Amino acid sequence: MLGESIYIRGREAFTGGSPQAVYEELWQRGRKGRLRTRAFLAVAALVLCGMLVNAVFGVVVAVLLASADALVHWRLYNASRVWRLGRRGVERMDRILRLTLERRGHRVLHGRVVPGHENADELVVGPGGVWLVHNEAWAPDAEIDRHGGRLFVNGRTQSKLVGGLTARAEAAGRLISERYGAPVTVTPVLAVHGGKLARAPFTADGIVFARPLRLVRWMHRNPSADHSAEEVEAIARAAVHALPIGGRTMTDAPPAAAPVTAAAAEPAASAPLTADPSPGPEAEEGRTEQAEAGEGGAVTTAA
């Protein structure tokens, strides 16, 4: 088509076809309306409070009201940032876990491969149990709720998502248990990025759904086991071997060679002599031959 850019041909993000691009465009279009409404609220507060109390109080209330309105809209925009960037929120959840649970004695494994299943975003091993964290980002207007103990997003069930996450957690628990040598239960949880949660956290299809910070708080306050610090380290090591990164399996280190002691390195010639220096039969025969050779040599010389 004449006038079409050869660099962005067929890319929906630039032609307005992708939901992220549409949402971004609508947000920019509404900017003037938001500023107009914010200014109207500030002026109304300034006039009303200035007439009722004084001018200084009116200015303070107007500034606070405008700041509150800006904060509300910024939170709405920031809540959809992960979804707008086409991500699932893994990087954000990694950062939150690093700043919270990892400082409380938990071990967090990132991007582990569960053989036969999809990857595990994060595997959290702590004194209160083991959790498999999955991240999912929905559109800002998506309705996420529970009905009859099942998960519904925009009125539709999520059997594929829930079934895959449950099977992944069960497989991870089985592999870690085999490596650890004792039963280990892995609890699946889901961090919700974006969307509209009717209530949080809530449990649907046996999985806990919550915002990242609330999910971390729930994991800390709802333990499913009681592991010591040594057990946490042992389970984490078992998980490292059972759930590789990128399909690469880890093997045990080969046993170290036994160190050579000073006694073993000492030459055999330095062995102590025995107390009985009596010669053996071979030594006696050697002496007899030498004596006979000596006598024969003496006779020859005399002749």
mmCIF file of all heavy atoms in Angstrom, residues 252-297:
data_model
loop_
_atom_site.group_PDB
_atom_site.id
_atom_site.type_symbol
_atom_site.label_atom_id
_atom_site.label_comp_id
_atom_site.label_asym_id
_atom_site.label_seq_id
_atom_site.Cartn_x
_atom_site.Cartn_y
_atom_site.Cartn_z
ATOM 1 N N ASP A 252 25.507 -35.439 40.589
ATOM 2 C CA ASP A 252 26.271 -35.317 41.818
ATOM 3 C C ASP A 252 27.754 -35.198 41.503
ATOM 4 O O ASP A 252 28.254 -35.744 40.504
ATOM 5 C CB ASP A 252 26.036 -36.540 42.714
ATOM 6 C CG ASP A 252 24.597 -36.600 43.181
ATOM 7 O OD1 ASP A 252 23.984 -35.526 43.306
ATOM 8 O OD2 ASP A 252 24.095 -37.716 43.418
ATOM 9 N N ALA A 253 28.464 -34.487 42.337
ATOM 10 C CA ALA A 253 29.892 -34.320 42.148
ATOM 11 C C ALA A 253 30.600 -35.648 42.387
ATOM 12 O O ALA A 253 30.218 -36.425 43.263
ATOM 13 C CB ALA A 253 30.431 -33.261 43.112
ATOM 14 N N PRO A 254 31.648 -36.004 41.587
ATOM 15 C CA PRO A 254 32.359 -37.271 41.790
ATOM 16 C C PRO A 254 33.078 -37.272 43.124
ATOM 17 O O PRO A 254 33.500 -36.225 43.627
ATOM 18 C CB PRO A 254 33.366 -37.295 40.628
ATOM 19 C CG PRO A 254 33.548 -35.860 40.259
ATOM 20 C CD PRO A 254 32.232 -35.201 40.517
ATOM 21 N N PRO A 255 33.218 -38.460 43.741
ATOM 22 C CA PRO A 255 33.880 -38.518 45.045
ATOM 23 C C PRO A 255 35.329 -38.091 44.932
ATOM 24 O O PRO A 255 36.038 -38.433 43.982
ATOM 25 C CB PRO A 255 33.754 -39.997 45.446
ATOM 26 C CG PRO A 255 33.547 -40.720 44.156
ATOM 27 C CD PRO A 255 32.800 -39.786 43.254
ATOM 28 N N ALA A 256 35.777 -37.339 45.899
ATOM 29 C CA ALA A 256 37.150 -36.836 45.888
ATOM 30 C C ALA A 256 38.124 -37.972 46.161
ATOM 31 O O ALA A 256 37.838 -38.911 46.908
ATOM 32 C CB ALA A 256 37.305 -35.739 46.948
ATOM 33 N N ALA A 257 39.312 -37.935 45.512
ATOM 34 C CA ALA A 257 40.332 -38.965 45.706
ATOM 35 C C ALA A 257 40.903 -38.880 47.113
ATOM 36 O O ALA A 257 41.030 -37.797 47.690
ATOM 37 C CB ALA A 257 41.452 -38.783 44.678
ATOM 38 N N ALA A 258 41.241 -40.070 47.661
ATOM 39 C CA ALA A 258 41.771 -40.118 49.019
ATOM 40 C C ALA A 258 43.136 -39.455 49.060
ATOM 41 O O ALA A 258 43.977 -39.696 48.194
ATOM 42 C CB ALA A 258 41.879 -41.566 49.497
ATOM 43 N N PRO A 259 43.394 -38.576 50.015
ATOM 44 C CA PRO A 259 44.691 -37.899 50.074
ATOM 45 C C PRO A 259 45.811 -38.867 50.399
ATOM 46 O O PRO A 259 45.644 -39.829 51.139
ATOM 47 C CB PRO A 259 44.482 -36.878 51.210
ATOM 48 C CG PRO A 259 43.399 -37.454 52.040
ATOM 49 C CD PRO A 259 42.501 -38.197 51.098
ATOM 50 N N VAL A 260 46.978 -38.625 49.802
ATOM 51 C CA VAL A 260 48.141 -39.479 50.030
ATOM 52 C C VAL A 260 48.809 -39.055 51.323
ATOM 53 O O VAL A 260 49.210 -37.897 51.490
ATOM 54 C CB VAL A 260 49.124 -39.344 48.847
ATOM 55 C CG1 VAL A 260 50.349 -40.219 49.088
ATOM 56 C CG2 VAL A 260 48.437 -39.716 47.548
ATOM 57 N N THR A 261 48.920 -40.009 52.239
ATOM 58 C CA THR A 261 49.528 -39.714 53.535
ATOM 59 C C THR A 261 51.038 -39.791 53.439
ATOM 60 O O THR A 261 51.608 -40.352 52.507
ATOM 61 C CB THR A 261 49.017 -40.704 54.591
ATOM 62 O OG1 THR A 261 49.372 -42.027 54.173
ATOM 63 C CG2 THR A 261 47.498 -40.614 54.723
ATOM 64 N N ALA A 262 51.685 -39.227 54.440
ATOM 65 C CA ALA A 262 53.145 -39.232 54.462
ATOM 66 C C ALA A 262 53.703 -40.635 54.605
ATOM 67 O O ALA A 262 54.727 -40.987 54.041
ATOM 68 C CB ALA A 262 53.654 -38.339 55.601
ATOM 69 N N ALA A 263 52.973 -41.476 55.355
ATOM 70 C CA ALA A 263 53.436 -42.849 55.559
ATOM 71 C C ALA A 263 53.383 -43.644 54.265
ATOM 72 O O ALA A 263 54.250 -44.453 53.971
ATOM 73 C CB ALA A 263 52.604 -43.535 56.639
ATOM 74 N N ALA A 264 52.314 -43.395 53.460
ATOM 75 C CA ALA A 264 52.194 -44.135 52.207
ATOM 76 C C ALA A 264 53.209 -43.651 51.187
ATOM 77 O O ALA A 264 53.659 -44.404 50.330
ATOM 78 C CB ALA A 264 50.777 -43.991 51.639
ATOM 79 N N ALA A 265 53.580 -42.361 51.242
ATOM 80 C CA ALA A 265 54.547 -41.837 50.292
ATOM 81 C C ALA A 265 55.981 -42.170 50.634
ATOM 82 O O ALA A 265 56.881 -41.963 49.846
ATOM 83 C CB ALA A 265 54.388 -40.315 50.197
ATOM 84 N N GLU A 266 56.243 -42.707 51.816
ATOM 85 C CA GLU A 266 57.602 -43.014 52.238
ATOM 86 C C GLU A 266 58.142 -44.193 51.437
ATOM 87 O O GLU A 266 57.443 -45.186 51.231
ATOM 88 C CB GLU A 266 57.593 -43.345 53.726
ATOM 89 C CG GLU A 266 58.978 -43.341 54.355
ATOM 90 C CD GLU A 266 58.871 -43.508 55.853
ATOM 91 O OE1 GLU A 266 57.776 -43.304 56.368
ATOM 92 O OE2 GLU A 266 59.866 -43.847 56.484
ATOM 93 N N PRO A 267 59.313 -44.115 50.913
ATOM 94 C CA PRO A 267 59.836 -45.218 50.083
ATOM 95 C C PRO A 267 59.996 -46.483 50.879
ATOM 96 O O PRO A 267 60.164 -46.476 52.090
ATOM 97 C CB PRO A 267 61.183 -44.666 49.597
ATOM 98 C CG PRO A 267 61.551 -43.600 50.582
ATOM 99 C CD PRO A 267 60.268 -43.009 51.052
ATOM 100 N N ALA A 268 59.940 -47.619 50.140
ATOM 101 C CA ALA A 268 60.022 -48.915 50.814
ATOM 102 C C ALA A 268 61.397 -49.151 51.389
ATOM 103 O O ALA A 268 61.559 -49.940 52.323
ATOM 104 C CB ALA A 268 59.679 -50.043 49.813
ATOM 105 N N ALA A 269 62.413 -48.481 50.862
ATOM 106 C CA ALA A 269 63.777 -48.716 51.364
ATOM 107 C C ALA A 269 63.940 -48.238 52.788
ATOM 108 O O ALA A 269 64.835 -48.676 53.495
ATOM 109 C CB ALA A 269 64.786 -48.018 50.463
ATOM 110 N N SER A 270 63.051 -47.316 53.217
ATOM 111 C CA SER A 270 63.184 -46.798 54.567
ATOM 112 C C SER A 270 62.482 -47.651 55.589
ATOM 113 O O SER A 270 62.301 -47.230 56.712
ATOM 114 C CB SER A 270 62.632 -45.379 54.622
ATOM 115 O OG SER A 270 61.251 -45.398 54.283
ATOM 116 N N ALA A 271 62.008 -48.836 55.190
ATOM 117 C CA ALA A 271 61.328 -49.707 56.152
ATOM 118 C C ALA A 271 62.321 -50.142 57.219
ATOM 119 O O ALA A 271 63.492 -50.395 56.943
ATOM 120 C CB ALA A 271 60.763 -50.937 55.420
ATOM 121 N N PRO A 272 61.927 -50.238 58.457
ATOM 122 C CA PRO A 272 62.845 -50.596 59.550
ATOM 123 C C PRO A 272 63.329 -52.034 59.404
ATOM 124 O O PRO A 272 62.617 -52.914 58.934
ATOM 125 C CB PRO A 272 61.987 -50.402 60.798
ATOM 126 C CG PRO A 272 60.584 -50.539 60.325
ATOM 127 C CD PRO A 272 60.561 -49.999 58.941
ATOM 128 N N LEU A 273 64.572 -52.261 59.825
ATOM 129 C CA LEU A 273 65.153 -53.603 59.788
ATOM 130 C C LEU A 273 64.580 -54.449 60.899
ATOM 131 O O LEU A 273 64.209 -53.966 61.957
ATOM 132 C CB LEU A 273 66.679 -53.509 59.952
ATOM 133 C CG LEU A 273 67.399 -52.707 58.841
ATOM 134 C CD1 LEU A 273 68.860 -52.593 59.193
ATOM 135 C CD2 LEU A 273 67.194 -53.368 57.491
ATOM 136 N N THR A 274 64.534 -55.756 60.613
ATOM 137 C CA THR A 274 64.022 -56.670 61.631
ATOM 138 C C THR A 274 65.104 -56.941 62.665
ATOM 139 O O THR A 274 66.298 -56.746 62.428
ATOM 140 C CB THR A 274 63.592 -58.004 60.982
ATOM 141 O OG1 THR A 274 64.716 -58.536 60.285
ATOM 142 C CG2 THR A 274 62.455 -57.762 59.983
ATOM 143 N N ALA A 275 64.700 -57.434 63.800
ATOM 144 C CA ALA A 275 65.645 -57.704 64.898
ATOM 145 C C ALA A 275 66.499 -58.926 64.624
ATOM 146 O O ALA A 275 67.603 -59.059 65.150
ATOM 147 C CB ALA A 275 64.885 -57.880 66.207
ATOM 148 N N ASP A 276 66.011 -59.889 63.791
ATOM 149 C CA ASP A 276 66.740 -61.128 63.538
ATOM 150 C C ASP A 276 67.438 -61.020 62.191
ATOM 151 O O ASP A 276 66.795 -61.125 61.138
ATOM 152 C CB ASP A 276 65.769 -62.318 63.532
ATOM 153 C CG ASP A 276 66.527 -63.645 63.393
ATOM 154 O OD1 ASP A 276 67.778 -63.632 63.473
ATOM 155 O OD2 ASP A 276 65.846 -64.643 63.176
ATOM 156 N N PRO A 277 68.759 -60.761 62.151
ATOM 157 C CA PRO A 277 69.450 -60.617 60.866
ATOM 158 C C PRO A 277 69.958 -61.914 60.310
ATOM 159 O O PRO A 277 70.858 -61.912 59.493
ATOM 160 C CB PRO A 277 70.609 -59.686 61.251
ATOM 161 C CG PRO A 277 70.929 -60.045 62.661
ATOM 162 C CD PRO A 277 69.660 -60.477 63.292
ATOM 163 N N SER A 278 69.474 -63.066 60.760
ATOM 164 C CA SER A 278 69.974 -64.366 60.300
ATOM 165 C C SER A 278 69.682 -64.545 58.831
ATOM 166 O O SER A 278 68.578 -64.286 58.372
ATOM 167 C CB SER A 278 69.310 -65.497 61.100
ATOM 168 O OG SER A 278 67.919 -65.420 60.959
ATOM 169 N N PRO A 279 70.635 -64.982 58.045
ATOM 170 C CA PRO A 279 70.427 -65.118 56.590
ATOM 171 C C PRO A 279 69.554 -66.307 56.268
ATOM 172 O O PRO A 279 69.475 -67.263 57.017
ATOM 173 C CB PRO A 279 71.850 -65.305 56.064
ATOM 174 C CG PRO A 279 72.598 -65.920 57.199
ATOM 175 C CD PRO A 279 72.024 -65.355 58.441
ATOM 176 N N GLY A 280 68.947 -66.263 55.128
ATOM 177 C CA GLY A 280 68.112 -67.349 54.668
ATOM 178 C C GLY A 280 68.914 -68.370 53.917
ATOM 179 O O GLY A 280 70.131 -68.272 53.782
ATOM 180 N N PRO A 281 68.317 -69.424 53.388
ATOM 181 C CA PRO A 281 69.012 -70.477 52.641
ATOM 182 C C PRO A 281 69.695 -69.934 51.401
ATOM 183 O O PRO A 281 70.789 -70.354 51.049
ATOM 184 C CB PRO A 281 67.881 -71.451 52.292
ATOM 185 C CG PRO A 281 66.805 -71.174 53.280
ATOM 186 C CD PRO A 281 66.897 -69.731 53.577
ATOM 187 N N GLU A 282 69.069 -68.960 50.671
ATOM 188 C CA GLU A 282 69.693 -68.428 49.482
ATOM 189 C C GLU A 282 70.999 -67.716 49.822
ATOM 190 O O GLU A 282 71.992 -67.802 49.105
ATOM 191 C CB GLU A 282 68.739 -67.464 48.757
ATOM 192 C CG GLU A 282 67.472 -68.115 48.216
ATOM 193 C CD GLU A 282 66.446 -68.308 49.311
ATOM 194 O OE1 GLU A 282 66.726 -67.874 50.462
ATOM 195 O OE2 GLU A 282 65.385 -68.884 49.035
ATOM 196 N N ALA A 283 71.025 -67.005 50.942
ATOM 197 C CA ALA A 283 72.252 -66.306 51.351
ATOM 198 C C ALA A 283 73.366 -67.288 51.673
ATOM 199 O O ALA A 283 74.532 -67.065 51.367
ATOM 200 C CB ALA A 283 71.964 -65.402 52.542
ATOM 201 N N GLU A 284 73.032 -68.417 52.321
ATOM 202 C CA GLU A 284 74.042 -69.428 52.655
ATOM 203 C C GLU A 284 74.653 -70.015 51.390
ATOM 204 O O GLU A 284 75.864 -70.210 51.272
ATOM 205 C CB GLU A 284 73.406 -70.535 53.499
ATOM 206 C CG GLU A 284 73.006 -70.079 54.901
ATOM 207 C CD GLU A 284 74.212 -69.718 55.765
ATOM 208 O OE1 GLU A 284 75.342 -70.158 55.432
ATOM 209 O OE2 GLU A 284 74.038 -68.990 56.756
ATOM 210 N N GLU A 285 73.809 -70.337 50.368
ATOM 211 C CA GLU A 285 74.333 -70.899 49.132
ATOM 212 C C GLU A 285 75.249 -69.900 48.429
ATOM 213 O O GLU A 285 76.293 -70.263 47.877
ATOM 214 C CB GLU A 285 73.177 -71.288 48.210
ATOM 215 C CG GLU A 285 72.331 -72.434 48.770
ATOM 216 C CD GLU A 285 71.159 -72.734 47.869
ATOM 217 O OE1 GLU A 285 71.034 -72.042 46.824
ATOM 218 O OE2 GLU A 285 70.386 -73.645 48.188
ATOM 219 N N GLY A 286 74.905 -68.620 48.470
ATOM 220 C CA GLY A 286 75.746 -67.616 47.843
ATOM 221 C C GLY A 286 77.108 -67.521 48.498
ATOM 222 O O GLY A 286 78.125 -67.386 47.842
ATOM 223 N N ARG A 287 77.154 -67.637 49.817
ATOM 224 C CA ARG A 287 78.444 -67.580 50.530
ATOM 225 C C ARG A 287 79.302 -68.795 50.182
ATOM 226 O O ARG A 287 80.521 -68.689 50.028
ATOM 227 C CB ARG A 287 78.196 -67.512 52.027
ATOM 228 C CG ARG A 287 77.610 -66.168 52.474
ATOM 229 C CD ARG A 287 77.412 -66.166 53.983
ATOM 230 N NE ARG A 287 76.834 -64.895 54.408
ATOM 231 C CZ ARG A 287 76.548 -64.625 55.678
ATOM 232 N NH1 ARG A 287 76.785 -65.553 56.620
ATOM 233 N NH2 ARG A 287 76.050 -63.473 55.997
ATOM 234 N N THR A 288 78.713 -69.966 50.064
ATOM 235 C CA THR A 288 79.472 -71.182 49.740
ATOM 236 C C THR A 288 80.106 -71.058 48.365
ATOM 237 O O THR A 288 81.269 -71.410 48.152
ATOM 238 C CB THR A 288 78.554 -72.417 49.787
ATOM 239 O OG1 THR A 288 77.959 -72.473 51.074
ATOM 240 C CG2 THR A 288 79.338 -73.691 49.517
ATOM 241 N N GLU A 289 79.376 -70.548 47.357
ATOM 242 C CA GLU A 289 79.915 -70.395 46.025
ATOM 243 C C GLU A 289 81.072 -69.399 46.009
ATOM 244 O O GLU A 289 82.081 -69.584 45.349
ATOM 245 C CB GLU A 289 78.815 -69.931 45.066
ATOM 246 C CG GLU A 289 77.743 -70.998 44.855
ATOM 247 C CD GLU A 289 76.612 -70.467 44.019
ATOM 248 O OE1 GLU A 289 76.659 -69.263 43.669
ATOM 249 O OE2 GLU A 289 75.692 -71.229 43.717
ATOM 250 N N GLN A 290 80.903 -68.289 46.768
ATOM 251 C CA GLN A 290 81.992 -67.308 46.821
ATOM 252 C C GLN A 290 83.260 -67.904 47.435
ATOM 253 O O GLN A 290 84.368 -67.627 46.989
ATOM 254 C CB GLN A 290 81.543 -66.082 47.617
ATOM 255 C CG GLN A 290 80.476 -65.257 46.914
ATOM 256 C CD GLN A 290 80.045 -64.104 47.771
ATOM 257 O OE1 GLN A 290 80.577 -63.956 48.899
ATOM 258 N NE2 GLN A 290 79.122 -63.312 47.253
ATOM 259 N N ALA A 291 83.089 -68.755 48.474
ATOM 260 C CA ALA A 291 84.257 -69.368 49.127
ATOM 261 C C ALA A 291 84.981 -70.304 48.167
ATOM 262 O O ALA A 291 86.203 -70.323 48.097
ATOM 263 C CB ALA A 291 83.804 -70.121 50.389
ATOM 264 N N GLU A 292 84.198 -71.116 47.407
ATOM 265 C CA GLU A 292 84.818 -72.030 46.471
ATOM 266 C C GLU A 292 85.547 -71.259 45.374
ATOM 267 O O GLU A 292 86.662 -71.624 44.972
ATOM 268 C CB GLU A 292 83.764 -72.944 45.838
ATOM 269 C CG GLU A 292 83.158 -73.903 46.862
ATOM 270 C CD GLU A 292 82.051 -74.730 46.253
ATOM 271 O OE1 GLU A 292 81.707 -74.461 45.059
ATOM 272 O OE2 GLU A 292 81.537 -75.615 46.923
ATOM 273 N N ALA A 293 84.971 -70.190 44.922
ATOM 274 C CA ALA A 293 85.644 -69.424 43.886
ATOM 275 C C ALA A 293 86.916 -68.802 44.421
ATOM 276 O O ALA A 293 87.912 -68.710 43.720
ATOM 277 C CB ALA A 293 84.686 -68.320 43.381
ATOM 278 N N GLY A 294 86.898 -68.391 45.694
ATOM 279 C CA GLY A 294 88.103 -67.817 46.285
ATOM 280 C C GLY A 294 89.213 -68.818 46.396
ATOM 281 O O GLY A 294 90.382 -68.525 46.160
ATOM 282 N N GLU A 295 88.934 -70.061 46.788
ATOM 283 C CA GLU A 295 89.952 -71.089 46.909
ATOM 284 C C GLU A 295 90.540 -71.426 45.558
ATOM 285 O O GLU A 295 91.790 -71.566 45.382
ATOM 286 C CB GLU A 295 89.362 -72.363 47.536
ATOM 287 C CG GLU A 295 88.966 -72.134 48.997
ATOM 288 C CD GLU A 295 88.295 -73.386 49.573
ATOM 289 O OE1 GLU A 295 88.140 -74.370 48.786
ATOM 290 O OE2 GLU A 295 87.931 -73.356 50.744
ATOM 291 N N GLY A 296 89.690 -71.516 44.514
ATOM 292 C CA GLY A 296 90.215 -71.855 43.195
ATOM 293 C C GLY A 296 91.148 -70.750 42.693
ATOM 294 O O GLY A 296 92.174 -70.981 42.078
ATOM 295 N N GLY A 297 90.821 -69.530 42.954
ATOM 296 C CA GLY A 297 91.657 -68.420 42.529
ATOM 297 C C GLY A 297 93.015 -68.432 43.220
ATOM 298 O O GLY A 297 94.057 -68.157 42.617
#
